[in-house]
Amino acid sequence: MPGLTIGDTIPDLDVDTTHGHFRIHDYVNGGWAIIFSHPGDFTPVCTTELGKIASNAEEFERRGVKLLGLSCDDLQSHREWIKDIEAYTVLSFSLSLTSLLCGYPIVADPKREVLKELNMVDPDEKDSTGAHIPSRALHIIGPDKKVKLSFLYPATTGRNVDEVLRVVDALQKSAAHPVATPANWKSGEPVAISPSGYQTADLPSKKGYLRFTNV
């Protein structure tokens, strides 16, 4: 992903959201955050994604992760769209309607200025006016306000929210301990380490470099 990428500090932008006006650094405020963009309001894939994220709001909160959505429409459009998202979420995930999206704000960006600063514009896809459309991008931001992981999907492909939660667990584990997480790792499974106090996989090379421990 060109431009803003892993290791970069997220720009401290002023944003207008469904929860008011604030700066991104103030919103992160020394914790973990996820910023995720959407091609547009009242679009099918985006509606399912925001609904799925809303249904997992408690899981993100349990991990200390703040959520910040972003779409290139205005606040009034966002507020009307939220009604559809809530209705869809109630039907699809058997949840009660308790203002599901009040837990996280959605940025209004009709001029697409925030999207460009956050590197969330599709380099290939354009709308009917010839303008580049927003990509289906997602940045995971650490307490130091740096990008720890980025996903970039085409507009036609919805994100896997379970995978987002999994990589949050992996990033937080590695941030807290000098470990790495192997392929398909899930919370509670062994992790790879380099110091002593581990189990070594018996490999043909006998080099003893693949080590695991429970943290």
Side-chain angles (χ1 to χ4, degrees):
M1 182 185 293
L4 187 69
T5 189
I6 294 173
D8 291 342
T9 299
I10 198 77
D12 189 20
L13 304 175
D14 279 303
V15 291
D16 287 313
T17 81
T18 51
H19 286 192
H21 183 89
F22 53 76
R23 299 187 71 88
I24 289 179
H25 282 195
D26 291 337
Y27 186 69
V28 176
N29 193 28
W32 290 82
I34 294 177
I35 303 176
F36 50 100
S37 62
H38 297 273
D41 295 359
F42 302 103
T43 52
V45 177
C46 298
T47 299
T48 64
E49 285 189 323
L50 266 73
K52 183 64 174 176
I53 290 171
S55 73
N56 280 278
E58 291 184 1
E59 289 296 322
F60 287 107
E61 183 177 1
R62 184 168 64 84
R63 291 162 171 83
V65 177
K66 292 182 178 180
L67 300 167
L68 182 61
L70 172 60
S71 179
C72 63
D73 294 291
D74 60 30
L75 288 177
Q76 184 57 38
S77 176
H78 286 356
R79 294 188 181 104
E80 292 300 316
W81 184 33
I82 284 173
K83 297 174 185 177
D84 283 0
I85 297 167
E86 289 181 333
Y88 165 77
T89 304
V90 168
L91 291 173
S92 299
F93 304 109
S94 300
L95 300 175
S96 60
L97 183 56
T98 55
S99 298
L100 293 169
L101 293 182
C102 285
Y104 68 88
I106 303 174
V107 176
D109 189 29
K111 295 182 180 179
R112 308 187 184 189
E113 295 172 345
V114 177
L115 288 159
K116 292 177 182 177
E117 289 288 335
L118 297 180
N119 192 28
M120 291 177 157
V121 177
D122 194 304
D124 299 319
E125 295 293 329
K126 297 181 180 180
D127 61 19
S128 58
T129 68
H132 287 281
I133 68 171
S135 61
R136 206 174 294 285
L138 181 150
H139 298 310
I140 298 179
I141 312 302
D144 58 359
K145 302 179 179 66
K146 294 183 182 295
V147 178
K148 302 303 180 182
L149 183 147
S150 292
F151 289 126
L152 179 60
Y153 288 68
T156 55
T157 304
R159 284 163 284 208
N160 187 323
V161 178
D162 292 335
E163 173 64 3
V164 175
L165 287 166
R166 188 192 76 83
V167 297
V168 166
D169 287 339
L171 290 168
Q172 292 183 338
K173 178 69 71 176
S174 295
H177 305 280
V179 300
T181 53
N184 295 344
W185 177 87
K186 294 181 181 179
S187 182
E189 295 180 349
V191 295
I193 62 170
S194 54
S196 60
Y198 51 78
Q199 294 179 339
T200 303
D202 185 15
L203 302 177
S205 69
K206 304 300 181 183
K207 293 183 181 295
Y209 65 89
L210 186 57
R211 310 175 181 99
F212 295 93
T213 187
N214 290 307
V215 177

